[in-house]
Amino acid sequence: MDLHLRDKVAIVGGASQGIGFAVARTLAEEGVKVVITARREAPLNAAAETVREKTGGSVLAVPSDVRRAEDCVRVVDGAVKTFGRIDILINNDGAPPLGKIEDFDDAAWDKAVQQNLYSVIRMVRQTVPHMKAVGGGRIVNITAVSARQPLVGLGLSVATWAGVLGYAKTLSLELGPAGITVNTICPGRIDTGRLELVTRKRAEQLGQDPDKMMQELLHEVPLRRLGTPDDVAGLVALLVSPRGAFITGTAIQVDGGLLRSVY
Ligand SMILES: NC(=O)c1ccc[n+]([C@@H]2O[C@H](COP(=O)([O-])OP(=O)(O)OC[C@H]3O[C@@H](n4cnc5c(N)ncnc54)[C@H](OP(=O)(O)O)[C@@H]3O)[C@@H](O)[C@H]2O)c1
């Protein structure tokens, strides 16, 4: 199916691996010119080369830390200078550390807010004028299903991503008249290196057996498998394409049915 995305320009955060990489590759397959970011230059450049090889697409790699305001400006400037426009923004990166809420001080909270919430605010502020200049755009935020069904030990992420959900909903109301859609994806358990890392750390902190916790991950998912980065990338591609044009203000989980909630 042609998603009619050829020659659109997208910024995809955290794209040297995992979900962000799958999103960048999927969009490039659709003919989108992609600007990819991550902090470590070597893996980012390697990811850019892989996407070029696999898709023949145009890829610009901009090493940057989403927690730094000046880096956000540099990414957007680079995108406009190289490709001349911005149509799509995918807010995605890593996440703050795990631990009990009572153990985190102001410095930890500051970092978490910079990483999960402020990064989105800054990237949106930088890109929206460029989207308005081309008559519309698409913003997709990657958070987690735990923002809607909190988990012990993930307080920094849960609290800051819940902020993203409120921010994104309000933004969708304000940007709708300009033809810009804003949606948030809440992945469940997606098979990236990060999942095993986080699960083993949670088990350690909760005093549980890490191997048992890894096995239990599957049993709680009604579809009885972990998600793949491509499961998330497929929804992103739909949301940013003309086929997703009437979808805005949503928070959609990609979780194999994990979320225990009617709404
Ligand atoms: N995997 C899951 O099961 C799952 C479930 C729910 C939600 N999520 C969320 O989805 C997002 C992506 O997850 P993932 O599994 O794909 O993670 P991942 O494999 O660890 O990839 C994270 C990417 O973000 C980059 N990154 C991290 N911190 C950054 C920063 N400060 N500035 C710029 N780039 C940064 C990393 O590269 P550098 O380290 O080089 O910067 C990497 O490219 C995360 O926010 C994660 O919490 C994941």
Side-chain angles (χ1 to χ4, degrees):
M1 185 195 300
D2 182 359
L3 288 175
H4 299 285
L5 284 168
R6 186 150 298 281
D7 291 334
K8 298 281 184 196
V9 176
I11 296 176
V12 185
S16 62
Q17 61 188 54
I19 292 170
F21 175 78
V23 170
R25 199 203 61 238
T26 301
L27 294 185
E29 279 165 1
E30 294 295 329
V32 176
K33 297 171 181 167
V34 289
V35 179
I36 62 172
T37 73
R39 290 165 302 178
R40 288 166 298 146
E41 193 166 356
L44 183 67
N45 286 339
E49 202 41 50
T50 306
V51 174
R52 283 185 203 108
E53 272 169 20
K54 284 188 187 286
T55 68
S58 302
V59 186
L60 173 70
V62 185
S64 55
D65 186 337
V66 81
R67 293 171 298 188
R68 293 198 191 138
E70 64 273 25
D71 283 18
C72 295
V73 172
R74 195 162 47 78
V75 169
V76 174
D77 285 353
V80 175
K81 206 169 158 195
T82 305
F83 295 131
R85 57 187 287 150
I86 299 174
D87 305 276
I88 298 162
L89 170 64
I90 313 298
N91 288 309
N92 172 70
D93 54 272
L98 277 68
K100 283 197 203 146
I101 283 178
E102 63 195 286
D103 293 337
F104 290 118
D105 58 13
D106 281 3
W109 278 102
D110 273 351
K111 266 190 169 174
V113 172
Q114 291 291 335
Q115 173 135 31
N116 279 5
L117 179 58
Y118 235 126
S119 59
V120 175
I121 293 169
R122 286 181 177 130
M123 289 304 292
V124 166
R125 192 189 289 141
Q126 292 303 320
T127 51
V128 161
H130 298 288
M131 291 178 180
K132 286 185 172 169
V134 294
R138 299 280 193 272
I139 298 169
V140 178
N141 310 304
I142 307 295
T143 61
V145 88
S146 55
R148 299 178 59 191
Q149 186 175 326
L151 286 174
V152 170
L154 292 181
L156 290 178
S157 285
V158 170
T160 48
W161 273 330
V164 171
L165 293 178
Y167 168 86
K169 184 71 196 175
T170 312
L171 192 68
S172 71
L173 304 177
E174 296 182 1
L175 294 183
I180 300 172
T181 67
V182 185
N183 292 287
T184 302
I185 296 179
C186 304
R189 287 152 188 180
I190 309 299
D191 196 5
T192 67
R194 177 172 189 82
L195 179 69
E196 179 150 4
L197 208 80
V198 168
T199 305
R200 291 192 178 278
K201 190 94 201 236
R202 281 193 74 229
E204 190 186 298
Q205 290 182 345
L206 296 171
Q208 294 180 15
D209 177 9
D211 292 327
K212 202 166 158 227
M213 197 182 249
M214 280 302 293
Q215 283 163 12
E216 281 169 4
L217 285 185
L218 278 183
H219 291 294
E220 290 168 4
V221 181
L223 289 181
R224 292 292 186 273
R225 70 167 174 89
L226 298 178
T228 65
D230 281 350
D231 286 327
V232 180
L235 177 59
V236 172
L238 171 80
L239 289 174
V240 303
S241 78
R243 292 189 179 260
F246 203 53
I247 305 171
T248 193
T250 66
I252 308 173
Q253 65 269 22
V254 177
D255 68 348
L258 178 69
L259 180 71
R260 272 31 172 192
S261 164
V262 176
Y263 300 107

